[in-house]
Amino acid sequence: MRHQLCTTEGGLVTQVGEGHETAADEAGPVMTFGAPTAGEVLAERYQLEEHVNNDSAGRQVWRGIDVILRRAVAVVLRHPGGDSATEMLQAAVAASRVIHPNLAGVYDAIDEQQRAYVVREWVDGESLRELVVADGPLDPARAIAIAHSVADALTAVHATGMIHGNVHPGSVLIADDGRVVLADARADAADSVESDVRAVGGILYFALTGHWPHSEVGGHTLPDANRDSTGNVTAPRQVRAGIPAYLDDLTMDLLDLRVAAPASDALTAELGRLDAAAEDDEEFEDVGPLRFVQSSAAQSGEQAKSAPKILLGVGALIVIAIVGLIFGIRAINNTGNTDDPGSQTGNTAAGDTGQDGSADNPPAPAAEPKKIKLTADMVRIVDAPGGTRDFDKDDAALTVDGKMDTAWELSYYKGSPRFGKLKDGMGILINLGQPRALSDVRVTTSLGGVGMELRTGTSDPGDSAEGDKKLLQQFQKVGDQDSAPNKNAGSTQLLSFVPDQKYQYVLVFITELPRNTDTPGFQADVNEIELYGY
C-alpha cells in the first residue's frame, strides 16, 4: 500500500519539456520493492537514474527523472519506511508549503511502508561541502553571500512556525547559475529556531576556514574547528589571514552559546547589509556597528541578555549611544593578554580604537596567504617503521611540480586501509630552509577516502629507515585536526596551521588509503601538495 502524503509544484526551476532522456524511453519501467535500483520507477512517475550519495542520516540520495513532466528530480529515499520514516515525511510536508528562491522545492512525500521517499527539486551544481573541500576556504565576500541566502531561506521557514533542523555544508547547495539553495529539512524535538540560526554561524565558519564546529552546531564527518587549550573554538582570523574583524566577530558571536542568538530575520538583514557592502567594494572594516533589529516576536519576549561579548541588538546600541563610547564593546579573550597579536579585536564601530587604546595607530590588516614555491630539493618521502622503503625517491618531486597529471603513486595494500596493518603510514616531508609563518596545506589525491594528518618538527634526522623512525617519534600533530578521510573522489583536503607560529619542517602524513578497484587492495596517488603562508 502506498500512502502519498502530499504533492506540490512550488519552487520549480527546471522548465517543463526540457527533454531528459531516460531508460524508460527505450524499455519498459523496472518495478522492484525494497532496496532501490537504477532504472526503477517510483509511484509510476519518478525513475531512479543514479545513486548520488548517502546523507548524514543514512538516507540514499538519487538523481531521478519525473517521466511525466520530463525534468530532473532528487529522490531522498529511506528503507524501510513506515513509522521510522514519519519524521522525514512530516518535515517534507511542512517544507512543501514554503516557496522561496533559496529553498529546494519539495514535490512529493510518499510512504510505501517497505520504504519511504521525498522527491524534491534537483539542483545542478555542488554542495558547499564539496566546493570548500575541492577549492579551499572561500573569500569573505562569497562566504557572506552564501550565509545571507541561507539566513533568508530560514527566515521564510521560521515565518511559518517550522524549523529546518538540517543546516550544514552538505545541505547548502550552490547551483551552476550561482543560486544558493537550502535543502532537506529534517527537524526533530532537539532542534529549534535558535539552533537553525547558530548553524548559519557554522556555515560562515566552514566557508571561511574549511572546518565545522562540532560542539557548537552539531557533529559532522567534517574536520572539527581548531580549538585552544581550553577547548574553545579558534576564531577564523586566527586560522586564516585576510578575514575582516567585523565578520570574525559576527561568526564567533553566532557560535557562542553565552550570547543571545538573533532572530533569523534580523540576521538576514545584517548579512544583507554586509552582502551589499561587498558588492559595492566597501571595506568591511568600515561598515559600522552590528545592526540587528529584533523581530516583532522577539520584541514581545524578554529583553536580550547581555553576555561577555555584547551581541547586536537595539539594547546594545542604546547603551553605546548613552555612554558616548566610540569603540566597540567586546570581552577580553580568555587569556586576558591584550598584547597578543592574534587576539580578537571585537565588534568594530566607526572610530574604534585599537586594543592599545590608540585610534591613530590601528593594527595593520592581516596579509592574505600566498602559495609558497616548493621544489624537488625541498621534499622527500617518509616511510613509517614496518615499511620496506622500496619507493623511488624521485617520486616526491612529482607532488610539488605543479602538474595534476603527475603523482606519487603509493603501493597497494591488502587486508586493511591502514597500510595493511603493516605500518602507520607514509608521507611527504617539506623542508622550507628556515622557519616561516604558514596558513594551510592543500593535498590533492586521485581518490577520496585518503586519511591524512599534518605534523611538524624542528629537524630532519636523515633520509634513512632509522631517520624516519626518529622523525615520526619527534614530529607532533598540528592541533586537534581530524584526520578522517575525505570521501569526495579526486578532491583536495585542507589542513591548517596554528596562527602566530613558524614552521620549517612540515610532514603531510597519510594514515589511511581507500579501496582502489583498479588494484587488488587499498591504494591512492598523491597528485599535488600546495603550501600557503606569509
Side-chain angles (χ1 to χ4, degrees):
M1 178 70 69
R2 183 177 81 245
H3 303 284
Q4 185 163 333
L5 303 184
C6 74
T7 300
T8 177
E9 301 302 331
L12 308 188
V13 297
T14 305
Q15 296 181 4
V16 175
E18 285 185 0
H20 292 279
E21 299 302 323
T22 74
D25 296 324
E26 299 180 359
V30 177
M31 299 301 293
T32 64
F33 298 94
T37 59
E40 178 181 358
V41 176
L42 306 179
E44 301 179 353
R45 178 169 185 174
Y46 306 109
Q47 180 166 313
L48 300 180
E49 294 284 295
E50 178 186 8
H51 178 212
V52 178
N53 56 41
N54 291 348
D55 70 8
S56 58
R59 304 177 302 177
Q60 294 188 16
V61 181
W62 286 73
R63 178 178 62 82
I65 297 294
D66 183 334
V67 298
I68 295 178
L69 295 181
R70 315 300 298 165
R71 67 179 177 198
V73 294
V75 180
V76 183
L77 189 146
R78 181 187 177 95
H79 174 65
D83 293 341
S84 63
T86 299
E87 177 186 300
M88 176 186 81
L89 297 171
Q90 288 178 340
V93 171
S96 70
R97 302 189 183 111
V98 185
I99 300 174
H100 188 278
N102 297 119
L103 285 171
V106 178
Y107 306 147
D108 261 351
I110 299 171
D111 183 13
E112 294 179 341
Q113 297 302 306
Q114 288 183 313
R115 58 191 177 181
Y117 45 93
V118 173
V119 182
R120 64 163 170 81
E121 171 190 350
W122 174 263
V123 179
D124 283 318
E126 59 186 340
S127 69
L128 175 62
R129 171 178 181 159
E130 293 168 328
L131 176 64
V132 172
V133 168
D135 299 336
L138 308 182
D139 65 79
R142 191 172 190 194
I144 289 169
I146 291 173
H148 179 208
S149 296
V150 172
D152 201 17
L154 289 174
T155 297
V157 170
H158 294 167
T160 68
M162 174 185 161
I163 297 168
H164 189 278
N166 194 32
V167 181
H168 58 80
S171 63
V172 176
L173 310 178
I174 314 299
D176 290 340
D177 62 4
R179 188 168 65 107
V180 177
V181 181
L182 180 61
D184 301 333
R186 193 181 70 241
D188 59 28
D191 295 309
S192 64
V193 168
E194 178 179 345
S195 64
D196 275 354
V197 170
R198 294 205 185 277
V200 178
I203 293 297
L204 277 171
Y205 194 93
F206 177 75
L208 294 169
T209 70
H211 292 259
W212 180 253
H214 292 190
S215 300
E216 292 72 18
V217 287
H220 205 279
T221 57
L222 291 165
D224 189 18
N226 290 339
R227 298 180 183 275
D228 60 24
S229 59
T230 64
N232 293 323
V233 173
T234 303
R237 289 189 92 190
Q238 294 177 302
V239 176
R240 173 189 171 206
I243 297 175
Y246 178 87
L247 180 58
D248 186 84
D249 293 338
L250 172 59
T251 302
M252 293 299 287
D253 281 342
L254 289 172
L255 297 178
D256 191 340
L257 300 182
R258 300 168 300 176
V259 176
S264 53
D265 57 350
L267 177 59
T268 299
E270 183 62 9
L271 287 169
R273 189 169 72 96
L274 279 178
D275 201 2
E279 290 181 357
D280 294 337
D281 293 326
E282 290 185 26
E283 290 293 335
F284 291 125
E285 302 287 356
D286 298 332
V287 295
L290 300 168
R291 297 181 181 176
F292 281 83
V293 179
Q294 298 299 320
S295 64
S296 57
Q299 289 174 346
S300 63
E302 296 182 5
Q303 183 178 2
K305 298 178 181 180
S306 60
K309 297 177 184 176
I310 301 300
L311 175 75
L312 328 177
V314 177
L317 295 179
I318 293 175
V319 171
I320 293 173
I322 292 175
V323 267
L325 297 178
I326 62 172
F327 51 88
I329 300 178
R330 189 177 179 92
I332 298 174
N333 62 20
N334 292 333
T335 64
N337 180 8
T338 58
D339 295 326
D340 179 4
S343 61
Q344 299 172 34
T345 58
N347 298 335
T348 57
D352 272 3
T353 62
Q355 295 213 36
D356 60 357
S358 172
D360 297 327
N361 297 289
E368 285 286 351
K370 296 182 179 179
K371 184 176 178 180
I372 297 173
K373 175 64 176 176
L374 300 178
T375 57
D377 61 335
M378 299 169 67
V379 295
R380 75 171 182 87
I381 297 174
V382 172
D383 200 8
T388 59
R389 290 182 59 84
D390 58 351
F391 49 79
D392 186 341
K393 294 184 178 181
D394 293 337
D395 284 351
L398 301 178
T399 66
V400 295
D401 61 2
K403 301 175 183 177
M404 289 298 177
D405 57 350
T406 62
W408 169 34
E409 299 179 5
L410 281 74
S411 300
Y412 69 83
Y413 295 82
K414 294 183 178 180
S416 169
R418 293 189 174 273
F419 288 80
K421 296 184 179 180
L422 299 174
K423 57 185 177 182
D424 291 337
M426 298 183 72
I428 295 291
L429 175 66
I430 304 171
N431 180 359
L432 295 172
Q434 61 182 3
R436 294 191 58 169
L438 302 176
S439 169
D440 56 78
V441 60
R442 304 170 193 182
V443 187
T444 302
T445 54
S446 60
L447 294 174
V450 177
M452 62 184 71
E453 298 173 351
L454 182 59
R455 301 185 183 185
T456 61
T458 57
S459 64
D460 179 4
D463 188 2
S464 65
E466 185 61 26
D468 286 352
K469 180 180 179 180
K470 291 181 179 179
L471 183 145
L472 291 171
Q473 290 173 342
Q474 297 170 4
F475 275 46
Q476 299 296 315
K477 184 178 174 183
V478 177
D480 298 320
Q481 298 195 65
D482 192 339
S483 60
N486 169 11
K487 300 302 182 183
N488 295 304
S491 60
T492 302
Q493 289 186 243
L494 174 76
L495 300 170
S496 300
F497 293 89
V498 176
D500 303 322
Q501 293 188 19
K502 292 187 177 182
Y503 307 87
Q504 177 176 340
Y505 295 93
V506 175
L507 175 64
V508 176
F509 192 62
I510 298 172
T511 59
E512 186 173 339
L513 298 170
R515 182 173 294 281
N516 189 336
T517 56
D518 294 332
T519 72
F522 300 91
Q523 189 273 337
D525 303 337
V526 178
N527 298 84
E528 197 69 16
I529 296 176
E530 299 174 295
L531 188 61
Y532 288 78
Y534 310 98

